[in-house]
Amino acid sequence: MSEEVTVRVGEAYREDVGRGIVRVDLEIMDKLGLTSGDVVEIIGKSKAVGIVWPCHTSDTGRGIIRIDGDLRRDAGVGIDDRVKIRKVEAKRAARITISPTQRVTLVGGERYLHRLLLNRAVM
């Protein structure tokens, strides 16, 4: 199993919301051997995955990651909670099956979902 680091959750930057981006402190990136575009697992009450981007310089040395509300919900955490993160090896999905919990009607739904999920980390 790869090395884990405990960090504090911060709110995502506005431009990152809805994109599956995890902004990580540069010092933590170095410690975990992460580069931009790598995938990390976020371990809170449950687990989520996101694509790593470096934090802004104002966050360097603060020991935080910035994730949006979707990733916080998936990981079962809130702002200022502590989570563990670790690098994971992602594999390109050849196929994804989606099972809506209620009836959904989308005009052009398959194309919309394809665009939404393209280049996203999912588990």
Side-chain angles (χ1 to χ4, degrees):
M1 183 134 81
S2 62
E3 183 177 0
E4 295 178 347
V5 172
T6 300
V7 293
R8 187 173 49 84
V9 174
E11 189 171 359
Y13 298 121
R14 184 175 307 163
E15 66 268 19
D16 295 342
V17 172
R19 298 176 60 203
I21 292 173
V22 177
R23 293 278 183 171
V24 180
D25 183 320
L26 292 170
E27 293 173 2
I28 294 168
M29 287 180 70
D30 286 342
K31 183 173 185 174
L32 295 177
L34 296 168
T35 58
S36 293
D38 283 344
V39 176
V40 291
E41 182 176 48
I42 304 159
I43 306 162
K45 292 176 187 150
S46 51
K47 295 179 181 178
V49 290
I51 299 172
V52 171
W53 283 29
C55 68
H56 294 173
T57 54
S58 60
D59 285 341
T60 299
R62 295 182 57 202
I64 66 171
I65 62 166
R66 293 191 177 273
I67 57 177
D68 68 10
D70 293 334
L71 287 174
R72 290 194 306 269
R73 183 188 65 244
D74 291 347
V77 298
I79 292 174
D80 288 330
D81 284 348
R82 299 230 175 250
V83 295
K84 291 182 180 180
I85 61 168
R86 67 183 176 109
K87 182 178 181 177
V88 293
E89 292 301 320
K91 296 178 182 170
R92 186 167 297 277
R95 181 176 158 165
I96 295 175
T97 301
I98 297 180
S99 299
T101 57
Q102 57 189 357
R103 182 165 170 70
V104 177
T105 305
L106 293 172
V107 175
E110 286 182 19
R111 283 177 294 182
Y112 169 75
L113 290 173
H114 180 265
R115 272 195 334 268
L116 185 69
L117 295 171
L118 190 63
N119 297 317
R120 294 283 299 260
V122 296
M123 59 186 305

